[in-house]
Each structure stands twice: as C-alpha cells, then as structure tokens.
Amino acid sequence: MQTNKDASKLNQADGGAAGSVSEEQEEIREWLYSLDYVLQSKGPERVGALLRELQVRAQEGGVKIPFTANTPYINTIPPSQQPPYPGSREIERRIKSIVRWNAMAMVIRANRLSNGIGGHISTFASAATLYEVGFNHFFRGKGDNHEGDLIYFQGHASPGMYSRAFLEGRLSIQQLENFRRELQPGGGLCSYPHPWLMPNFWEFPTVSMGLGPIMSIYQARFNRYLEDRGLKDTSQSKVWAFLGDGETDEPETLGAITLASREKLDNLIFVINCNLQRLDGPVRGNGKIIQELEAAFRGAGWNCIKVIWGSEWDALLARDTDGLLVKRMEEVVDGQYQKYTVSSGKYIREHFFGTDPRLLKMVEHLSDEQIRRLNRGGHDPAKVYAAYKAAIDHKGSPTVILAKTIKGYGLGESGEGKNITHQQKKLNEDELREFRTRFGIPISDEEVSKAPFYLPAPDSPEMKYLHERRRALHGYV
C-alpha cells in the first residue's frame, strides 16, 4: 500500500504538490465506478453513447485527444460473453492431433524421397486450431441443396488440408506419398491450392501471396450482386479468407479492404493467422502487427475481433484491477514475445512479470511450467469458436479476426517459434518421437522414425465424430 510519504516522493519527482497523486487516483476511481455502474445497469451501448458525448464535450472545450484506432491488447470478446463450446473438445483435440501428424509426416516423407522438394510444416502447425474449429462447426459444404461457403485457404497451410481430406476418405495414402509429385503413378498432390491441377479438390488459387484476400473481397461482392439481382440465393453462404500476418505486406492483401466495408459485405470473414513470423524472422520485431492491422481494418470500417490470449490468462486478467497486466501486455513488442516463445517459464517470470513486484505477486501461485504454458488465443478452441460465431452473427460490415499463434506450434526444439521454422522440412528421430508423444499419436518407438501416416479405424470415436460433423454442415468442403 502506498503511504503518504511514498505519495509525497512521487509528487516531488513529478514536480507536483504532496497529495495530488492520491487525489488523481481517487478521481480515476470515481470515474471508473460511474462507468461500471452504467455498464451494469444500462449496458454497453449506453456506455458507448456516454463516451462519445464526453469526447464531443472535451473537443468543444479545446482538449486535444490523441487519435487511436486501437483497442487494448486483449481479447475483443471477454469471458463473460463467450458462448458455450458445442461438441466434444476432447475428441476434436484428438482429430486435430492426427491431422497435425499426417500433415507433418507428408512433408517429411516427401523430402526424404527427394531432398529439397520443399513443403511447409510450420504454417499449418500454427493454424491447426483456426481450421479445425471451422471444419467442425462453421464451414458449410455444398450438399443438401445448400450453396455452401467459399473458402480461400492459406497457400502454405495446404498440407493440413490434404491431411484432413485423407481422414475424410477423399485422398489416398498414395496421393499423400506423392506430395509435390503430381505426375507419379497413381497421382499426387500439388504444392499449393490450384484448381487447374486439382479441379475436384481446390476451388480457388491462393498463391502467390496476396491473391486470396483480394479475390475473396470481389467474390463476396459478386455473391451479393447475384443475390440483389435475384439471380441466385447466396444469403446463407459466407466467404472465408485465411491468410498470414506477413502476407498483409503484399499490396493486394489490403488494397481493396475499403471496398468491402463500403459495400457492407457482412458475408466476408478474414482470418489472419498472426504467428508474428515471416519467411526468416519477425513480421514486426519492434512493433505489434496485431495492433497495426487492427488500426488499418478498423479505419477502413471493418468489424475487428482480436483473439490474443488463451483461457489460461482469463483468471490473471480478472485479477488485474489496476490494469498493470494489460499495460505490460501492450508495452512488450512482438520480437520480445517471440523470445518468450522459445524461453523457459523462469525466464518469462523474470522478464515479463518481473518488471513490477505487483505482477510477480499476481503469478506467485503458478509454477514456472504453468507460466510457460500460458497460451496464445489462436490455439484455444473456445476463444476461436467465440470469434467465429461473433463474425457469423455480425451484420453491416465485413469482419476480420486477428488470431495470435506460435509458428511451428508443436515442433518443439526443432522449430517452435524459431526464425528458421518456415523453412523446416525435416525432423530427426528424437524430434519425431517428441511430436508423437506431445500429441498422443499411437505409433510405436520402432515405427516412429519412418514417420508413417496414421488412420484411425472407421468405427473409432474420432472418425465417427469427424463424419457426423461434416454431415451436419451439409457435406465436405
């Protein structure tokens, strides 16, 4: 607790009179109490209206208010507004783990057969939850007289799409073994989404980078045109575009976002996988790409939903009554967050929380391992589901979801969060064993070095659940 003597020292350091700091704190508390009262009694819309009136009055009085298009560096949807998660989290986790393994194994095996053939492991590793929540609960197929959703998949995440299609029975083991070797006997799989090479699988090309985002905007506009002219009912179809944060530096990615808001394309949803890394290093080492993109999209009139922190952070943020934790979250830059990704819990305790004794007190009940496992929002199905549902329900403007993830998530020492991870093509036997163990893949120690594909039995809970969810969503994508 701050004493009068401490307050006097602070005031002298600030050049103010003794007692003024406590008066300022009391004044802030009174304003906050008033805001909380209106929020609880009248709701968020009334709070927003009051804040707008206060801003007008301040400007009329000559107060210069710094412009910002940013909201605090926390999740847009608070825990109190999260909908219940439908379905089985445990079965979905197991399905996602199998998809992860087969995607990784496909790239590993291809590069063993032909050194340098390429492929990407780390992009899908970071985005697996973003895709699997969509496949299990949101992406609608084109069956049952339903037009279905139009999905622009991020090009570098193609191994994950092939891996899921393998579980769904739409691709064979031989096709997976011929990844990036389309002319092999029995057929193969092209590197990236390519409707000309695989017309029965891919719907839209999304490589070179930047093509997917701009095409999705014009597709959403064309869908609205068809509907408005009475030519086709597209009212139940959403256009999804998945892209990376580094991809937003491509001129095509952000070049038409004002068109989407001007045309009120609420049938369009961008999901930006903010793993903070590009080909060979941070996207914004000394900045914050999520805040930068939020400002760009909000300024262009989009509905912006940030998914930054996983559920493990909820209790800490609830205890952050003085805003110290949020302040710390905002002042740390992306380069430092990437350092935390590859560091121990002890390091994070000392360097993230250790800047203020009150922050250290906040996490004193957590072990170093628990601190290390404080996760990012893009890996939390509950946070992702809440964001997707809010995007589906939103009316009047397009939505962008900014999901914070870790590039190479699950690759461990071989590449998780490291600058080299985008080019990671191979794992040694120890790394494969670690991956297998972390995600609970039932492959023996004797077989794991071969990186075999894994397919559960047709009557397994995972396979039954996977097909049931796709049937409920009108078929496969």
Side-chain angles (χ1 to χ4, degrees):
M1 179 179 292
Q2 181 174 282
T3 64
N4 290 334
K5 184 176 180 181
D6 293 330
S8 177
K9 287 182 179 179
L10 286 170
N11 284 306
Q12 290 170 11
D14 291 337
S20 64
V21 169
S22 59
E23 290 172 6
E24 290 174 2
Q25 290 175 337
E26 184 62 31
E27 185 178 39
I28 290 172
R29 287 195 189 97
E30 290 176 359
W31 279 91
L32 293 176
Y33 289 151
S34 298
L35 187 147
D36 288 341
Y37 172 78
V38 176
L39 180 62
Q40 293 171 10
S41 59
K42 302 292 180 63
E45 290 185 3
R46 182 57 183 159
V47 171
L50 285 174
L51 291 176
R52 286 192 292 272
E53 291 295 327
L54 285 172
Q55 184 176 10
V56 170
R57 179 59 64 89
Q59 288 180 314
E60 290 175 345
V63 177
K64 294 183 178 180
I65 302 175
F67 170 78
T68 179
N70 284 124
T71 60
Y73 197 65
I74 55 176
N75 296 339
T76 302
I77 301 173
S80 60
Q81 295 180 15
Q82 279 182 212
Y85 193 89
S88 171
R89 286 278 299 271
E90 176 56 28
I91 293 179
E92 288 183 24
R93 184 192 65 79
R94 295 204 299 270
I95 293 171
K96 180 170 59 179
S97 296
I98 297 168
V99 174
R100 284 183 186 278
W101 172 267
N102 287 333
M104 177 274 298
M106 181 172 57
V107 177
I108 296 295
R109 291 165 68 98
N111 281 271
R112 285 178 178 177
L113 288 171
S114 180
N115 190 33
I117 198 170
H120 301 274
I121 301 174
S122 60
T123 295
F124 179 72
S126 67
T129 299
L130 302 179
Y131 285 111
E132 282 300 304
V133 171
F135 277 117
N136 287 318
H137 301 287
F138 293 97
F139 300 160
R140 288 170 291 190
K142 292 177 170 60
D144 302 327
N145 297 317
H146 194 282
E147 286 299 322
D149 291 340
L150 303 177
I151 307 172
Y152 290 76
F153 295 100
Q154 187 180 359
H156 289 157
S158 61
M161 307 310 112
Y162 292 141
S163 177
R164 177 169 245 274
F166 170 62
L167 291 188
E168 294 171 343
R170 298 163 59 211
L171 294 177
S172 66
I173 284 184
Q174 187 174 28
Q175 287 174 295
L176 264 61
E177 288 178 338
N178 290 336
F179 175 59
R180 289 198 165 199
R181 298 187 300 160
E182 300 99 302
L183 300 181
Q184 291 294 310
L189 304 174
C190 57
S191 303
Y192 303 121
H194 202 313
W196 189 79
L197 292 175
M198 296 180 64
N200 296 322
F201 191 88
W202 294 115
E203 195 166 9
F204 305 106
T206 54
V207 176
S208 189
M209 298 292 95
L211 291 181
I214 194 167
M215 288 195 302
S216 69
I217 291 174
Y218 283 95
Q219 181 68 58
R221 185 179 185 230
F222 185 63
N223 279 14
R224 190 57 53 80
Y225 170 87
L226 293 174
E227 182 182 347
D228 291 344
R229 298 301 184 275
L231 299 172
K232 189 175 185 180
D233 182 11
T234 61
S235 60
Q236 300 303 310
S237 296
K238 294 289 185 181
V239 178
W240 298 77
F242 286 81
L243 54 149
D245 47 0
E247 189 175 356
T248 61
D249 282 344
E250 299 290 341
E252 298 88 348
T253 301
L254 304 182
I257 61 173
T258 54
L259 181 150
S261 55
R262 185 170 65 248
E263 298 289 331
K264 298 181 172 59
L265 300 180
D266 52 18
N267 59 338
L268 175 65
I269 301 170
F270 271 22
V271 181
I272 304 184
N273 175 20
C274 298
N275 57 37
L276 312 187
Q277 283 185 242
R278 58 173 74 251
L279 299 182
D280 55 1
V283 175
R284 297 289 185 272
N286 293 321
K288 300 171 92 70
I289 188 61
I290 287 179
Q291 298 299 83
E292 180 181 322
L293 292 175
E294 179 191 33
F297 280 95
R298 291 188 76 209
W302 286 53
N303 173 43
C304 187
I305 301 174
K306 294 193 290 194
V307 185
I308 303 177
W309 309 108
S311 298
E312 295 86 352
W313 289 91
D314 288 345
L316 296 178
L317 287 165
R319 297 169 61 187
D320 185 35
T321 55
D322 294 327
L324 292 171
L325 180 56
V326 174
K327 178 177 180 292
R328 181 62 180 148
M329 289 171 166
E330 291 182 340
E331 66 189 15
V332 175
V333 296
D334 285 353
Q336 190 61 45
Y337 277 119
Q338 290 303 79
K339 171 63 176 174
Y340 296 144
T341 297
V342 298
S343 300
S344 65
K346 179 182 179 182
Y347 181 92
I348 298 169
R349 186 190 300 273
E350 292 175 356
H351 292 83
F352 180 80
F353 295 100
T355 57
D356 190 304
R358 292 168 292 181
L359 289 176
L360 283 174
K361 181 74 174 176
M362 192 179 293
V363 295
E364 65 179 0
H365 64 292
L366 298 178
S367 66
D368 288 345
E369 180 61 20
Q370 287 174 312
I371 287 178
R372 191 182 69 82
R373 291 183 178 275
L374 290 170
N375 216 349
R376 295 181 178 179
H379 300 300
D380 188 324
K383 302 297 184 183
V384 174
Y385 178 86
Y388 285 5
K389 189 174 189 308
I392 290 288
D393 294 340
H394 179 74
K395 302 298 180 184
S397 63
T399 292
V400 59
I401 296 169
L402 302 172
K404 191 176 185 181
T405 65
I406 295 172
K407 193 156 191 174
Y409 184 77
L411 296 181
E413 289 297 320
S414 65
E416 183 168 302
K418 295 183 178 180
N419 287 342
I420 56 137
T421 191
H422 185 83
Q423 305 299 343
Q424 188 78 4
K425 318 292 182 191
K426 299 179 181 180
L427 274 69
N428 61 37
E429 184 173 344
D430 289 338
E431 291 163 345
L432 285 168
R433 186 177 291 109
E434 180 186 350
F435 192 106
R436 182 269 327 258
T437 302
R438 177 169 180 173
F439 293 107
I441 308 300
I443 295 174
S444 68
D445 287 342
E446 292 75 23
E447 292 292 316
V448 72
S449 63
K450 302 175 184 176
F453 297 117
Y454 175 70
L455 183 65
D459 61 348
S460 67
E462 295 87 352
M463 296 297 275
K464 287 182 178 179
Y465 186 93
L466 179 145
H467 291 296
E468 286 171 1
R469 291 310 308 150
R470 289 316 313 161
R471 284 193 292 268
L473 291 166
H474 309 287
Y476 301 95
V477 175

